[in-house]
Amino acid sequence: MDLEGKGRVELHTSSDRASAVLNVLDEVTLAATSTLAPAEIADRVAVAVRRGLGFEHLVLLLVNEERGTLEPLGGDAETSLLEDGKLPSLRTGQGPMSTSVGGPMSTSVGLEGWVAEHGRALQVDDVSQDPRYVARIPGVRSALIVPLTMRRSTGGERVIGVICAASSHPGAFSREDERLLTTIARQLAFAIDSARLHQETQYRLAEVSALYELARQMNTSLDIQQVLDSIVWSLKRVVGCRGCSIALLDPTNNVLEIHAAAGIEEKWKRAFELRLGEGVAGHVAQEGAPMYVPDVLELDNFIFFDPSVRSLLSVPLSTQRGVIGTLTIDSDRPQAFSKADERLLTIAASQAAIAIENARLYANLEQRARNLAEAYAELKEADRLKDEVVQNVSHELRTPLTFVKGYVELLLEGNAGPLTDEQKKYLRIVVEKTEVVTGLVSSIIFLQQADRVPAKTAVSLTKVARQAVRGCAATVEKAGLTLLEHLPDNLPPVAGDEGRLLQVFDNLLGNAIKFSPDGGQILVTVEDAGTMVRASVSDPGIGIPEDQQERIFERFYQVNGSAKRRFSGVGLGLAIVKRIVETHGGEVWVESEHGKGSTFYFTIPKYEYHG
């Protein structure tokens, strides 16, 4: 029955009370083994306690270590014995509240704060007579407050919250009530702590999954805008915030501008512009540290771009080069974000900064590639025009040179009258130099034609080599050299143009003759080399320094220090060789030791018969 002055239902016997307590403990045990959230556990236990023990009001407050406050979790939250229903701010002189029993707390607020600080139960028969009672809530006369404590693995206890019973009658609670509620509080603390641990584990798993998904989304594209849009929309979905935005820093004027946003109207995106140190994002970019504003209305000089924003969390986007921007989430509710959100956003910002830098690098490389392609096209066109000019000039030179040579020969034959020996000597020099220039012009013309892909037929490289050897036999004998050959007849044919391949041998043999000393031996070989036929021309000449061996195939390049050369040249012979061999699908190279001679090799693909 309901006893006057007590404001609670008294149980008839002690066995009834014991049974009621056991029922409450069973409810706590059942809740502890479930996957309920802490608030659901608190609600179920509060109902069981009020029903079982006949308490008039019951509320559960948990310690929020991030904010240093006690916050209602379940039960009759409006009955909290705090001034105007506000939560107490429990602080130490060194930062967030320490919830250790006997910890160095300098202040506490209200009766609940005292219990949380000292870790001891508190029974107040008349709250109006207790100086710790500051709420002055109408109708509340007595209270029983018990701490929720958990034993530490290292010893001692920690307070995770308090359970508060209140009555509209003075002296409503007994020592037996305190003992029973303390028994319940111990098991309830374990249940709530387990539920919070499960909840934290689930959150961490969701956080890891969210970060993995965010990383996957960011890596699907290297387009900078696609990367930015992917980041903001993924984070908005994961965090469940009102809006998410990325502001990038323009290094030229040190201004932050929004480049991507989710959940934010276009007009606010356009209006956003902050200098370093200006506003929340400007401060974050300048200091390189996160900033959380629980309620923007309480922040002096807050710059409003969107009036619906009540709380926001901003973190820097940092790379090795420094801060490149900010990543911000906001809500239309105050106190919307936690330390866990800050941790998630900070990790996401690190990933985002890397993705943004990679996208920027890719964009720069793409632009550089386009620039190089344009430059290459211009160079190619310039090279084509140059070759065209050279070819046209060469063709134009060939005709007058032929006329010069023809008229000089007529003079030498006496067709224009008798000549003195001195005059004949000078005219022979003119003929000789004319032939040199004519040969140069022919080489230039041939060089331009060497790039054209030849019509390939089956050609015996041995036969071509022998033809080249016969062609230079007189020159070799005149130079006092010996020409050796290793030219098997049973080699398969190659796919090529016989005239151009003969030019290759002629140029290599001419090069060997120029650089061979008197009495030297020149060796020409042709041999099978798998899918290729390989030919080589060796000479005992001056050799080629290693640092110049790659360049000798360039046009007009000549090895320095060639005092022993027998004939002059302009450096086109080997360039012609390289072009002809490569247009045949082969390769040319040299092996040489300075002062000991050189061997030039080239390969031509074997001819493949079809049909």
PDB file of all heavy atoms in Angstrom, residues 38-60:
ATOM      1  N   PRO A  38      23.090   0.873 -24.072  1.00  0.00           N
ATOM      2  CA  PRO A  38      23.054   1.289 -22.662  1.00  0.00           C
ATOM      3  C   PRO A  38      21.751   1.987 -22.275  1.00  0.00           C
ATOM      4  O   PRO A  38      21.222   1.759 -21.180  1.00  0.00           O
ATOM      5  CB  PRO A  38      24.252   2.234 -22.558  1.00  0.00           C
ATOM      6  CG  PRO A  38      25.203   1.734 -23.590  1.00  0.00           C
ATOM      7  CD  PRO A  38      24.342   1.273 -24.714  1.00  0.00           C
ATOM      8  N   ALA A  39      21.203   2.834 -23.128  1.00  0.00           N
ATOM      9  CA  ALA A  39      19.964   3.548 -22.809  1.00  0.00           C
ATOM     10  C   ALA A  39      18.797   2.579 -22.659  1.00  0.00           C
ATOM     11  O   ALA A  39      17.937   2.759 -21.777  1.00  0.00           O
ATOM     12  CB  ALA A  39      19.654   4.581 -23.888  1.00  0.00           C
ATOM     13  N   GLU A  40      18.763   1.534 -23.496  1.00  0.00           N
ATOM     14  CA  GLU A  40      17.684   0.552 -23.395  1.00  0.00           C
ATOM     15  C   GLU A  40      17.802  -0.244 -22.107  1.00  0.00           C
ATOM     16  O   GLU A  40      16.791  -0.545 -21.449  1.00  0.00           O
ATOM     17  CB  GLU A  40      17.724  -0.376 -24.602  1.00  0.00           C
ATOM     18  CG  GLU A  40      17.414   0.308 -25.928  1.00  0.00           C
ATOM     19  CD  GLU A  40      17.582  -0.627 -27.098  1.00  0.00           C
ATOM     20  OE1 GLU A  40      18.701  -1.162 -27.286  1.00  0.00           O
ATOM     21  OE2 GLU A  40      16.602  -0.827 -27.825  1.00  0.00           O
ATOM     22  N   ILE A  41      19.039  -0.593 -21.727  1.00  0.00           N
ATOM     23  CA  ILE A  41      19.255  -1.289 -20.453  1.00  0.00           C
ATOM     24  C   ILE A  41      18.782  -0.423 -19.294  1.00  0.00           C
ATOM     25  O   ILE A  41      18.086  -0.893 -18.381  1.00  0.00           O
ATOM     26  CB  ILE A  41      20.736  -1.663 -20.296  1.00  0.00           C
ATOM     27  CG1 ILE A  41      21.144  -2.699 -21.341  1.00  0.00           C
ATOM     28  CG2 ILE A  41      21.021  -2.187 -18.893  1.00  0.00           C
ATOM     29  CD1 ILE A  41      22.613  -3.044 -21.343  1.00  0.00           C
ATOM     30  N   ALA A  42      19.153   0.863 -19.330  1.00  0.00           N
ATOM     31  CA  ALA A  42      18.768   1.780 -18.259  1.00  0.00           C
ATOM     32  C   ALA A  42      17.257   1.887 -18.139  1.00  0.00           C
ATOM     33  O   ALA A  42      16.693   1.887 -17.035  1.00  0.00           O
ATOM     34  CB  ALA A  42      19.379   3.153 -18.513  1.00  0.00           C
ATOM     35  N   ASP A  43      16.553   1.979 -19.249  1.00  0.00           N
ATOM     36  CA  ASP A  43      15.094   2.092 -19.223  1.00  0.00           C
ATOM     37  C   ASP A  43      14.450   0.847 -18.611  1.00  0.00           C
ATOM     38  O   ASP A  43      13.533   0.944 -17.785  1.00  0.00           O
ATOM     39  CB  ASP A  43      14.567   2.327 -20.634  1.00  0.00           C
ATOM     40  CG  ASP A  43      14.807   3.747 -21.118  1.00  0.00           C
ATOM     41  OD1 ASP A  43      14.953   4.647 -20.272  1.00  0.00           O
ATOM     42  OD2 ASP A  43      14.860   3.963 -22.342  1.00  0.00           O
ATOM     43  N   ARG A  44      14.919  -0.329 -19.032  1.00  0.00           N
ATOM     44  CA  ARG A  44      14.335  -1.573 -18.525  1.00  0.00           C
ATOM     45  C   ARG A  44      14.583  -1.733 -17.031  1.00  0.00           C
ATOM     46  O   ARG A  44      13.689  -2.130 -16.277  1.00  0.00           O
ATOM     47  CB  ARG A  44      14.910  -2.761 -19.294  1.00  0.00           C
ATOM     48  CG  ARG A  44      14.401  -2.852 -20.722  1.00  0.00           C
ATOM     49  CD  ARG A  44      15.009  -3.986 -21.488  1.00  0.00           C
ATOM     50  NE  ARG A  44      14.776  -5.282 -20.864  1.00  0.00           N
ATOM     51  CZ  ARG A  44      15.031  -6.446 -21.476  1.00  0.00           C
ATOM     52  NH1 ARG A  44      15.519  -6.439 -22.722  1.00  0.00           N
ATOM     53  NH2 ARG A  44      14.799  -7.595 -20.869  1.00  0.00           N
ATOM     54  N   VAL A  45      15.794  -1.412 -16.606  1.00  0.00           N
ATOM     55  CA  VAL A  45      16.121  -1.549 -15.180  1.00  0.00           C
ATOM     56  C   VAL A  45      15.353  -0.518 -14.359  1.00  0.00           C
ATOM     57  O   VAL A  45      14.874  -0.805 -13.251  1.00  0.00           O
ATOM     58  CB  VAL A  45      17.642  -1.415 -14.970  1.00  0.00           C
ATOM     59  CG1 VAL A  45      17.979  -1.335 -13.483  1.00  0.00           C
ATOM     60  CG2 VAL A  45      18.362  -2.592 -15.608  1.00  0.00           C
ATOM     61  N   ALA A  46      15.193   0.697 -14.862  1.00  0.00           N
ATOM     62  CA  ALA A  46      14.464   1.739 -14.132  1.00  0.00           C
ATOM     63  C   ALA A  46      13.025   1.315 -13.893  1.00  0.00           C
ATOM     64  O   ALA A  46      12.466   1.494 -12.790  1.00  0.00           O
ATOM     65  CB  ALA A  46      14.520   3.051 -14.910  1.00  0.00           C
ATOM     66  N   VAL A  47      12.403   0.740 -14.924  1.00  0.00           N
ATOM     67  CA  VAL A  47      11.031   0.256 -14.771  1.00  0.00           C
ATOM     68  C   VAL A  47      10.971  -0.847 -13.721  1.00  0.00           C
ATOM     69  O   VAL A  47      10.075  -0.876 -12.853  1.00  0.00           O
ATOM     70  CB  VAL A  47      10.491  -0.247 -16.132  1.00  0.00           C
ATOM     71  CG1 VAL A  47       9.151  -0.951 -15.951  1.00  0.00           C
ATOM     72  CG2 VAL A  47      10.337   0.922 -17.097  1.00  0.00           C
ATOM     73  N   ALA A  48      11.939  -1.776 -13.774  1.00  0.00           N
ATOM     74  CA  ALA A  48      11.952  -2.892 -12.822  1.00  0.00           C
ATOM     75  C   ALA A  48      12.184  -2.410 -11.399  1.00  0.00           C
ATOM     76  O   ALA A  48      11.564  -2.918 -10.450  1.00  0.00           O
ATOM     77  CB  ALA A  48      13.041  -3.899 -13.221  1.00  0.00           C
ATOM     78  N   VAL A  49      13.065  -1.422 -11.214  1.00  0.00           N
ATOM     79  CA  VAL A  49      13.356  -0.901  -9.873  1.00  0.00           C
ATOM     80  C   VAL A  49      12.131  -0.171  -9.318  1.00  0.00           C
ATOM     81  O   VAL A  49      11.740  -0.360  -8.151  1.00  0.00           O
ATOM     82  CB  VAL A  49      14.585   0.030  -9.896  1.00  0.00           C
ATOM     83  CG1 VAL A  49      14.734   0.760  -8.567  1.00  0.00           C
ATOM     84  CG2 VAL A  49      15.844  -0.777 -10.182  1.00  0.00           C
ATOM     85  N   ARG A  50      11.515   0.677 -10.126  1.00  0.00           N
ATOM     86  CA  ARG A  50      10.338   1.411  -9.646  1.00  0.00           C
ATOM     87  C   ARG A  50       9.215   0.451  -9.291  1.00  0.00           C
ATOM     88  O   ARG A  50       8.540   0.604  -8.270  1.00  0.00           O
ATOM     89  CB  ARG A  50       9.866   2.394 -10.716  1.00  0.00           C
ATOM     90  CG  ARG A  50      10.727   3.639 -10.817  1.00  0.00           C
ATOM     91  CD  ARG A  50       9.980   4.769 -11.538  1.00  0.00           C
ATOM     92  NE  ARG A  50       9.507   4.367 -12.853  1.00  0.00           N
ATOM     93  CZ  ARG A  50      10.212   4.475 -13.977  1.00  0.00           C
ATOM     94  NH1 ARG A  50      11.438   4.970 -13.922  1.00  0.00           N
ATOM     95  NH2 ARG A  50       9.703   4.091 -15.117  1.00  0.00           N
ATOM     96  N   ARG A  51       9.050  -0.563 -10.134  1.00  0.00           N
ATOM     97  CA  ARG A  51       7.977  -1.516  -9.872  1.00  0.00           C
ATOM     98  C   ARG A  51       8.321  -2.411  -8.679  1.00  0.00           C
ATOM     99  O   ARG A  51       7.479  -2.690  -7.831  1.00  0.00           O
ATOM    100  CB  ARG A  51       7.729  -2.368 -11.111  1.00  0.00           C
ATOM    101  CG  ARG A  51       6.565  -3.362 -10.943  1.00  0.00           C
ATOM    102  CD  ARG A  51       6.460  -4.305 -12.136  1.00  0.00           C
ATOM    103  NE  ARG A  51       6.279  -3.573 -13.370  1.00  0.00           N
ATOM    104  CZ  ARG A  51       7.093  -3.672 -14.408  1.00  0.00           C
ATOM    105  NH1 ARG A  51       8.187  -4.436 -14.323  1.00  0.00           N
ATOM    106  NH2 ARG A  51       6.868  -2.990 -15.507  1.00  0.00           N
ATOM    107  N   GLY A  52       9.596  -2.863  -8.626  1.00  0.00           N
ATOM    108  CA  GLY A  52       9.967  -3.819  -7.591  1.00  0.00           C
ATOM    109  C   GLY A  52      10.164  -3.206  -6.221  1.00  0.00           C
ATOM    110  O   GLY A  52       9.773  -3.787  -5.207  1.00  0.00           O
ATOM    111  N   LEU A  53      10.800  -2.004  -6.193  1.00  0.00           N
ATOM    112  CA  LEU A  53      11.101  -1.380  -4.904  1.00  0.00           C
ATOM    113  C   LEU A  53      10.147  -0.246  -4.575  1.00  0.00           C
ATOM    114  O   LEU A  53      10.225   0.344  -3.496  1.00  0.00           O
ATOM    115  CB  LEU A  53      12.545  -0.859  -4.904  1.00  0.00           C
ATOM    116  CG  LEU A  53      13.637  -1.927  -5.104  1.00  0.00           C
ATOM    117  CD1 LEU A  53      15.009  -1.290  -5.042  1.00  0.00           C
ATOM    118  CD2 LEU A  53      13.504  -3.031  -4.061  1.00  0.00           C
ATOM    119  N   GLY A  54       9.274   0.092  -5.500  1.00  0.00           N
ATOM    120  CA  GLY A  54       8.276   1.102  -5.225  1.00  0.00           C
ATOM    121  C   GLY A  54       8.813   2.518  -5.215  1.00  0.00           C
ATOM    122  O   GLY A  54       8.201   3.400  -4.595  1.00  0.00           O
ATOM    123  N   PHE A  55       9.940   2.765  -5.904  1.00  0.00           N
ATOM    124  CA  PHE A  55      10.483   4.131  -5.949  1.00  0.00           C
ATOM    125  C   PHE A  55       9.606   5.018  -6.826  1.00  0.00           C
ATOM    126  O   PHE A  55       9.079   4.588  -7.852  1.00  0.00           O
ATOM    127  CB  PHE A  55      11.910   4.120  -6.492  1.00  0.00           C
ATOM    128  CG  PHE A  55      12.916   3.520  -5.535  1.00  0.00           C
ATOM    129  CD1 PHE A  55      14.186   3.192  -5.960  1.00  0.00           C
ATOM    130  CD2 PHE A  55      12.574   3.300  -4.200  1.00  0.00           C
ATOM    131  CE1 PHE A  55      15.107   2.645  -5.098  1.00  0.00           C
ATOM    132  CE2 PHE A  55      13.506   2.751  -3.329  1.00  0.00           C
ATOM    133  CZ  PHE A  55      14.766   2.418  -3.773  1.00  0.00           C
ATOM    134  N   GLU A  56       9.482   6.276  -6.395  1.00  0.00           N
ATOM    135  CA  GLU A  56       8.618   7.222  -7.101  1.00  0.00           C
ATOM    136  C   GLU A  56       9.255   7.692  -8.411  1.00  0.00           C
ATOM    137  O   GLU A  56       8.608   7.732  -9.452  1.00  0.00           O
ATOM    138  CB  GLU A  56       8.332   8.418  -6.191  1.00  0.00           C
ATOM    139  CG  GLU A  56       7.293   9.378  -6.726  1.00  0.00           C
ATOM    140  CD  GLU A  56       6.987  10.479  -5.722  1.00  0.00           C
ATOM    141  OE1 GLU A  56       7.427  10.384  -4.558  1.00  0.00           O
ATOM    142  OE2 GLU A  56       6.318  11.443  -6.118  1.00  0.00           O
ATOM    143  N   HIS A  57      10.495   8.104  -8.360  1.00  0.00           N
ATOM    144  CA  HIS A  57      11.225   8.555  -9.552  1.00  0.00           C
ATOM    145  C   HIS A  57      12.605   7.921  -9.557  1.00  0.00           C
ATOM    146  O   HIS A  57      13.204   7.688  -8.502  1.00  0.00           O
ATOM    147  CB  HIS A  57      11.379  10.081  -9.561  1.00  0.00           C
ATOM    148  CG  HIS A  57      10.085  10.824  -9.583  1.00  0.00           C
ATOM    149  ND1 HIS A  57       9.247  10.819 -10.661  1.00  0.00           N
ATOM    150  CD2 HIS A  57       9.498  11.612  -8.642  1.00  0.00           C
ATOM    151  CE1 HIS A  57       8.187  11.552 -10.399  1.00  0.00           C
ATOM    152  NE2 HIS A  57       8.310  12.053  -9.167  1.00  0.00           N
ATOM    153  N   LEU A  58      13.117   7.671 -10.763  1.00  0.00           N
ATOM    154  CA  LEU A  58      14.457   7.081 -10.889  1.00  0.00           C
ATOM    155  C   LEU A  58      15.108   7.611 -12.164  1.00  0.00           C
ATOM    156  O   LEU A  58      14.468   7.704 -13.209  1.00  0.00           O
ATOM    157  CB  LEU A  58      14.380   5.558 -10.962  1.00  0.00           C
ATOM    158  CG  LEU A  58      15.709   4.825 -10.708  1.00  0.00           C
ATOM    159  CD1 LEU A  58      16.040   4.852  -9.226  1.00  0.00           C
ATOM    160  CD2 LEU A  58      15.623   3.382 -11.186  1.00  0.00           C
ATOM    161  N   VAL A  59      16.371   8.003 -12.074  1.00  0.00           N
ATOM    162  CA  VAL A  59      17.107   8.467 -13.247  1.00  0.00           C
ATOM    163  C   VAL A  59      18.529   7.936 -13.185  1.00  0.00           C
ATOM    164  O   VAL A  59      19.093   7.775 -12.094  1.00  0.00           O
ATOM    165  CB  VAL A  59      17.110  10.013 -13.325  1.00  0.00           C
ATOM    166  CG1 VAL A  59      17.881  10.632 -12.173  1.00  0.00           C
ATOM    167  CG2 VAL A  59      17.704  10.493 -14.659  1.00  0.00           C
ATOM    168  N   LEU A  60      19.073   7.643 -14.339  1.00  0.00           N
ATOM    169  CA  LEU A  60      20.456   7.152 -14.452  1.00  0.00           C
ATOM    170  C   LEU A  60      21.278   8.179 -15.205  1.00  0.00           C
ATOM    171  O   LEU A  60      20.897   8.638 -16.276  1.00  0.00           O
ATOM    172  CB  LEU A  60      20.478   5.823 -15.208  1.00  0.00           C
ATOM    173  CG  LEU A  60      21.828   5.128 -15.334  1.00  0.00           C
ATOM    174  CD1 LEU A  60      22.318   4.658 -13.987  1.00  0.00           C
ATOM    175  CD2 LEU A  60      21.721   3.949 -16.287  1.00  0.00           C
TER     176      LEU A  60
END
